[in-house]
Every structure is written in C-alpha cells, then in structure tokens.
Amino acid sequence: MTAATANVPAPAISSSNMPLYWLALGTFAIGTEGMMIAPLLPSLASDFATSVTAVGQLVTVFALTYAVSSPILTALSGSIDRRKMLILSMLAFALSNVLAWHAHDYWTLMAARVLLAITAGFYVPNANALGGALVPPEKRGKALAIVNGGISIAVAIGVPLGAVIGHAFGWRMTFAGIGALALLASLGLIVGLRPGTGSGIPSASLQERFAVMKQPQVLLALLVTTLWATGAYTVYTYLTLFLATVAGVSSAHIGSVLFMWGIAAVIGIVIGGNLSDKLGPRAVILPSLVLLTLSFFALSLIADLLQPELALIPALIAIVAWGVSAWAFFPAQQARLFGIREAKLAPIVLSLNASFMYIGFSSGAALGSIIVAAGGVRNLGWIGGLCEIVALVLVIATTRRKQG
C-alpha cells in the first residue's frame, strides 16, 4: 500500500452481488468489442477500399494501445475514486463506439479504436480491483470470476452475435450495439454503486509494477502469456479469411463457427480452472499448449492436403480443440502467476499478465498480416503453432513438476 492510501478507510463490503454483475456487463461490452473486429475484416476492407491486412492493423493497434496504456494510466490515476473512474471510462467507451459507428474513413476508425483501447484499459483493471474489494476475502475468487465472466460470455456469445449482426446489418451496427450496451453498463454503475465506493482501494505505482515485472521468475511466466497470445491471434485475426480460402465458408456463416469456438472456449475455461485447482497449474498448462499446437498445425495441414469440400468438418474439429485448449490454459496460467508471488503482489502480477497478453495479441495480429500479405494464409496455423511450441518449451524449462 502506498503512503497516499495508507490512511484511507477500506471500501464498504457489499451485501449483494448486483454491483459485480454491473461490472461484468462492462467487461462483456469490452470483451465483445475487442474481439469482434476479426470476423468483420472483409466487409471493412470492402467499405474502405483497402486490403484485409491493412484493416487488420485495427486489431494490432487496439491491442498494443491497451497493453501500453493500461498499466501506466491505471498507476497514474490511482488517487482517483474508483467508482468515478469506472463510470467515466465506461461512458468514454460508449462515446468511442459512437465515433467508430460514424467513421467514414479508415483513419477515423483507427482513432476510435485507439480511444476504445485506452478506455477499456482504464476500466478492466479498476473493475477487478473494485470487484475484489466489495466482498470479504474468502469470496474474492468468486467475485473476480463474476467480473471476468463478462469476457468469457463475450467470447461465447458476444463475438458470434456481433459477427451475425455485422453480416446482416453492416459492421457499423456492431459498434452501435456495443455503444448502447456500454451506456447501459454506465447507468448500472451509477445506480448500483454507492457514491464513495472504491475510494479506499490502493493502486500500485509504476515503480512497484516495474519492480515486480523485473523479477526473472515473473518475467519468464509473463513471456509465456505473450507467446500463447501471439500464436492465438496470428490465426484468430485472419480466421475468416482462412476459412473462406480453405473451406469455402462465407461471411454469412462465420458467426456460427465463432459461436462453436466460443462454446468450446467456455468449456475450456471451466475445465482449466477446475483441473488447475485439483492438479496444479503446470498439469493443465502443458497439455493445453500441446493440444493448441496440434490444433493450429492441423488447420494448416488440412489447408495443404484437402480440397475445400472436404476441409470443413476437419477444420471445425480443429477449431473446437483450439477453443478448449487455448482457454483451458488461461485460468491455469493466472493461477500459476498468482502463486509465484505472495498474495499482496498478486493483483500487480495479474494486471501485468493482461498487458503482456495484449502485447501478444498485437504481435500476433501483426505477424498474421505479414503472413497473409505474403500470400501465405494457409500457413497461419504453422506459424501460430510454432509460437505455442516456444511457450511450451519455456514452461517446461522454468517450472518443476512438484510445483504444479
């Protein structure tokens, strides 16, 4: 706890979970917006008369902006009342979606994506901090699961629904819908959080964050997160283009594919969380990365060996395996990071994990654009799988079996 916050009274404990659900509505809106651009790339490229890889930079810039701005701005704004910060950031997120909805050229949409990333980077760590402070310590894990559950539901429902709406009504309507959702979340925060809620929650300084990050054990673990995310977004960003090329999947059906992938992801989160508690994080992380590697390799192998009329079912099986394995890794990796340092530093480590994840998302989107621009859309799985192999080797080299 910093000197500035040492004498501030602790925030009041909430007797209801409703504030947590309002916080989760905000993370649902952010999770949907952050991932929905990928299935909309072809229509965006057509409207702006540019290449799919150029539009793909909207993913790269969003992820990179989030990764860099979130820890810096969260640390610098530590003295601001958390309730006010959450409300203002969600309102700004809603307005940024309005700007994206109204964008009539590529650079205006790019500017909107930068603003969306900054406001999302403000909201998510503050929502986690407040959610954990609103409940007794013994209920903190459940509270954080509720707040972050918004992102899980976004993966399962929000992104596929956004793809369907984008195809049926145009990509602008996806931004309009998320803007309305963010406005609803803002109103929920205003009504559902009492004034002064969160005023006693300390925030780690930049120096404290860097001190934790510089510790070798932490830094190597965070690098695993980055490699995992890089491999995943190398493939995910251009999945629509990959499926159209390899299996003849039209834009009208990509929402169904993403819905299937999202359900698999939620199953993976549940499996990964439960098995990590029972067997330890390492016992989940290693097989998850192995299966994820095989899933990505399978996609490129299918692209190389099968004709489009024969490739669809095998590709869908590989995508389901990808969804389960990638998201089983996620809670296990968080548990691993939580156990590396003493409990009081865990929030810092988990916040850094989010930033390193978005660095990986940005790197993966950029790497994918290079592969696609070189005419190698069928090679996306090979490159994504190689990233996961490096992550796997790093985990093996830096963990011991007895540590879990």
Side-chain angles (χ1 to χ4, degrees):
M1 181 178 294
T2 61
T5 58
N7 298 319
V8 180
I13 300 298
S14 174
S15 59
S16 168
N17 282 338
M18 276 309 300
L20 300 176
Y21 292 120
W22 287 118
L23 292 170
L25 184 59
T27 60
F28 172 74
I30 287 171
T32 301
E33 202 287 328
M35 301 186 72
M36 76 173 189
I37 282 289
L40 302 177
L41 291 185
S43 59
L44 284 164
S46 176
D47 277 9
F48 291 137
T50 187
S51 67
V52 172
T53 54
V55 178
Q57 300 314 306
L58 294 169
V59 179
T60 303
V61 169
F62 177 94
L64 184 60
T65 301
Y66 185 110
V68 174
S69 68
S70 182
I72 295 174
L73 296 177
T74 301
L76 294 178
S77 61
S79 61
I80 301 177
D81 180 272
R82 293 294 176 99
R83 176 180 180 271
K84 293 179 181 177
M85 177 62 69
L86 287 167
I87 292 171
L88 290 175
S89 60
M90 189 48 55
L91 285 172
F93 185 77
L95 291 174
S96 299
N97 274 287
V98 173
L99 177 62
W101 165 75
H102 193 260
H104 290 288
D105 61 77
Y106 175 84
W107 292 110
T108 302
L109 185 56
M110 179 68 78
R113 289 286 284 171
V114 170
L115 292 175
L116 285 163
I118 292 172
T119 53
F122 260 126
Y123 182 87
V124 175
N126 281 297
N128 278 294
L130 183 57
L134 286 174
V135 296
E138 64 272 14
K139 296 183 179 181
R140 195 158 292 157
K142 181 180 179 181
L144 292 176
I146 291 174
V147 174
N148 289 291
I151 297 176
S152 302
I153 297 173
V155 171
I157 299 175
V159 176
L161 184 59
V164 171
I165 291 173
H167 174 75
F169 303 105
W171 60 267
R172 295 182 189 278
M173 289 306 299
T174 60
F175 287 105
I178 293 175
L181 193 64
L183 183 59
L184 177 62
S186 302
L187 294 175
L189 295 172
I190 293 171
V191 175
L193 298 178
R194 297 192 304 271
T197 301
S199 58
I201 304 175
S203 177
S205 66
L206 282 175
Q207 291 82 357
E208 289 172 322
R209 292 171 191 267
F210 280 119
V212 173
M213 186 180 68
K214 287 190 298 184
Q215 298 176 35
Q217 190 179 15
V218 174
L219 185 58
L220 290 172
L222 292 173
L223 183 56
V224 170
T225 295
T226 300
L227 289 164
W228 162 78
T230 299
Y233 253 58
T234 297
V235 183
Y236 176 79
T237 304
Y238 295 99
L239 180 61
T240 300
L241 182 60
F242 178 90
L243 290 175
T245 303
V246 171
V249 178
S250 66
S251 298
H253 296 105
I254 194 64
S256 299
V257 175
L258 290 175
F259 180 75
M260 182 181 62
W261 178 80
I263 294 299
V266 172
I267 292 172
I269 289 173
V270 173
I271 292 174
N274 289 335
L275 289 183
S276 179
D277 288 342
K278 294 178 181 179
L279 305 176
R282 189 180 191 271
V284 176
I285 290 171
L286 293 181
S288 295
L289 290 175
V290 169
L291 180 57
L292 184 56
T293 299
L294 295 175
S295 301
F296 286 154
F297 282 174
L299 286 173
S300 282
L301 193 63
I302 290 165
D304 289 339
L305 298 181
L306 299 181
Q307 295 298 317
E309 60 271 15
L310 300 176
L312 180 58
I313 298 302
L316 293 179
I317 293 173
I319 288 171
V320 168
W322 161 17
V324 172
S325 57
W327 292 96
F329 166 90
F330 188 66
Q333 175 71 348
Q334 286 188 308
R336 178 193 174 197
L337 286 163
F338 193 89
I340 287 176
R341 304 303 306 165
E342 57 267 32
K344 67 178 181 180
L345 295 181
I348 299 177
V349 177
L350 295 181
S351 176
L352 289 170
N353 187 53
S355 290
F356 274 71
M357 179 176 69
Y358 274 92
I359 290 173
F361 289 164
S362 177
S363 301
L367 183 58
S369 70
I370 294 172
I371 297 167
V372 171
V377 65
R378 296 172 180 271
N379 296 322
L380 288 170
W382 298 125
I383 305 303
L386 287 175
C387 293
E388 306 304 340
I389 286 178
V390 178
L392 177 64
V393 171
L394 189 56
V395 172
I396 294 172
T398 56
T399 61
R400 296 178 182 177
R401 187 180 302 274
K402 66 178 181 180
Q403 290 179 328

